[in-house]
Amino acid sequence: MNPQILQEVALRYFLEVARCGSVSLAAERLEVAPSAVSRQIARLERELGTLLFERRSRGMALNAAGELLAAHAKRAQQDVDRVTGDIMSLRGLRQGLVRVVCTEGFVHDLVPAAIAQFRKQYAGIRFTLDVCSQREVPVRVRDGAADIGITLSLTSHRDVRVELRMPAPVRAVVAADHPLASLQEVSLAQLMAYPLALPDADSTLRQLIDISCSRQQLLCEPVFSSRSVDALVAFAGAGGGVAFCGELAIRYRLRGKLVVAVPLRDREMNERHFEVQTLAGRVLPEAAKAFIASLRTQLQAEGGVID
């Protein structure tokens, strides 16, 4: 075996296929041709003398050898990131890269604003921001695809450290002139009289609403559904009906009085938490640590109750 194979581009391609479960998706993320990814995987398997994936009809999954190699590759990449971060810290955070992944609800207001605020002090720090589902955020953090995950959570996750946590109850979002806008609190039962705008069925927020409605034997049928939080809130803001969202995701719209977020009294609607997640046991690069500290300060300044 040629030891240099473990330090080359083939390993980077291998990790991306492992994360995506697909050569075509990996190629899209790497911005190369699928044939180039396939060649590198074949080369890696040839050099190591073993197959690394189980080829399935719906993609590729790591076998035992692949799992071992993936664990090595992730540790190696984290070591490189840590050393790079340590070197950058000697320069006073003048350079560095922070990789952030978040759910769709935080990509429009919260995270970009937090990054912009941070870079006012540390202009040399670069960021990448990826968007994925709530379930996938801790997976990206565990896989080393992101330094920081920003999401909503109902449960704890294996191998994930929660750096920052605060309550994030679901609110009923309505236009400023909606009949419910002036109320201090509403229930899901009250909302059934109005047109509802809900996330798609595979959304954890939709599942939470469905569970609560099922418990109360409420018939919940949306007139409008979408994967986009932005679209749902815009629909409510235009007077179309009632949407559901946390205040953090729409804080700028709330300041502009475009919509109103009314608290819900239903138990399930008050059990979510906003979390900033990192990989347990990993020493974060200094730039990532500084960004988390900056985000904490920003949220506390706005009245957030942080654990």
Side-chain angles (χ1 to χ4, degrees), residues 37 111 117 144 159 175 182 191 255 282 306:
V37 176
V111 178
Q117 182 65 28
D159 297 330
S182 61
L191 299 180
R255 289 175 187 170
R282 180 189 176 193
I306 299 173

Side-chain angles (χ1 to χ4, degrees), residues 103-173:
T103 51
E104 197 263 346
F106 297 125
V107 76
H108 300 287
D109 291 341
L110 179 69
V111 178
I115 292 172
Q117 182 65 28
F118 178 80
R119 292 192 72 259
K120 290 179 182 178
Q121 183 174 359
Y122 302 110
I125 305 299
R126 296 175 294 115
F127 286 81
T128 63
L129 176 59
D130 200 3
V131 184
C132 64
S133 70
Q134 185 175 327
R135 294 187 189 90
E136 196 177 352
V137 170
V139 175
R140 297 279 189 94
V141 170
R142 281 198 302 264
D143 285 350
D147 301 308
I148 298 169
I150 298 176
T151 186
L152 294 163
S153 183
L154 293 167
T155 60
S156 59
H157 299 278
R158 181 177 56 85
D159 297 330
V160 170
R161 179 172 63 214
V162 177
E163 302 280 354
L164 189 158
R165 190 171 191 260
M166 60 187 291
V170 180
R171 303 301 196 205
V173 181

